[in-house]
Amino acid sequence: MVVFLGLMASLAPTPTSGAAQELGLFLSQGEVGHQEFVDPMGFGAYLILDPLPYLRFEGSFTHYDANATRVGEACIYLDPRHDCELENLRSTSDMEGVSLSVIPHISPAGWIDLGLGGGASFMHLGLEIETESNRFVNVLKPTGGQTGAFLVGQVKLMPFPRLPLVLSAGYQTQWVRFSGCSPDPLTYDPYCGTTEMKELRLGAGYRVGG
């Protein structure tokens, strides 16, 4: 995340009276109807550029964590399958990556800003499953990048006129296309297909220019 912020800051132009920049951190809580990626919690950092009065570009880095428990089949051997039993399984999923968005916005008053826009994301996903008996689970773990698209609404508050502090709240709906699909019907592939994730973000940033 530090590398991402440094890169974004180095690419950003020097602020002028007509251009603004904002750098901040956020926490997130997701809601997902997925058997493994259950209601993930996350954190991240963002950089906003305002090249035009009513349009901003936002780049962000996000890390999500999610845990799930279920009853599933675990085996002593997978190839060939041998000594399989149903038992309690605990999975840990983590997903992180970058997103870019374009957000038209208005400021009905000097202390509040409202925005509505969308963008695209590119994520890497990890999955680990623990069993009670140390058996193995025939699961396809995702590899490579997972792509997504999202719509987002934002409210930004600048409660202290003399301080460059920005408080923000955002709600977004993201559609992530998971590419971990197996042709083997006996292989468990939870990260296959498109999943909808709703997410609430609360953050704070430092704004210069504008």
Side-chain angles (χ1 to χ4, degrees), residues 65-205:
D65 288 299
N67 299 307
T69 56
R70 63 182 179 86
V71 175
E73 186 181 64
C75 307
I76 294 293
Y77 300 106
L78 293 178
D79 190 16
R81 295 162 60 83
H82 177 67
D83 195 7
C84 301
E85 295 182 359
L86 292 178
E87 58 181 82
N88 292 322
L89 307 178
R90 176 180 173 82
S91 66
T92 301
S93 299
D94 64 90
M95 186 170 70
E96 65 180 20
V98 296
S99 64
L100 297 174
S101 57
V102 179
I103 304 175
H105 64 101
I106 59 172
S107 297
W111 55 273
I112 187 171
D113 184 275
L114 307 175
L116 181 64
S121 62
F122 184 81
M123 300 285 180
H124 283 275
L125 181 69
L127 171 65
E128 296 294 335
I129 298 181
E130 299 178 359
T131 66
E132 292 181 320
S133 61
N134 292 322
R135 287 179 166 89
F136 299 99
V137 178
N138 190 21
V139 59
L140 178 64
K141 296 183 179 181
T143 59
Q146 319 300 313
T147 58
F150 59 90
L151 297 175
V152 59
Q154 294 178 340
V155 177
K156 290 182 174 289
L157 303 177
M158 290 146 279
F160 310 108
R162 298 193 178 188
L163 295 177
L165 174 67
V166 180
L167 304 178
S168 62
Y171 185 82
Q172 71 179 34
T173 300
Q174 182 171 193
W175 296 270
V176 182
R177 183 181 180 276
F178 293 121
S179 59
C181 300
S182 173
D184 182 1
L186 297 179
T187 298
Y188 177 51
D189 55 354
Y191 288 106
C192 176
T194 301
T195 295
E196 181 182 274
M197 179 171 72
K198 299 178 180 179
E199 181 182 356
L200 174 66
R201 291 187 174 186
L202 299 176

Side-chain angles (χ1 to χ4, degrees), residues 10-79:
S10 67
L11 295 176
T14 302
T16 66
S17 59
Q21 297 178 21
E22 182 184 330
L23 183 66
L25 303 173
F26 62 86
L27 298 174
S28 72
Q29 175 64 63
E31 180 183 356
V32 186
H34 190 277
Q35 62 268 38
E36 300 292 347
F37 203 60
V38 179
D39 297 343
M41 298 185 66
F43 62 88
Y46 66 88
L47 175 66
I48 290 176
L49 302 179
D50 274 344
L52 300 173
Y54 301 105
L55 186 68
R56 62 173 171 255
F57 299 93
E58 179 173 334
S60 65
F61 172 89
T62 312
H63 177 93
Y64 302 97
D65 288 299
N67 299 307
T69 56
R70 63 182 179 86
V71 175
E73 186 181 64
C75 307
I76 294 293
Y77 300 106
L78 293 178
D79 190 16

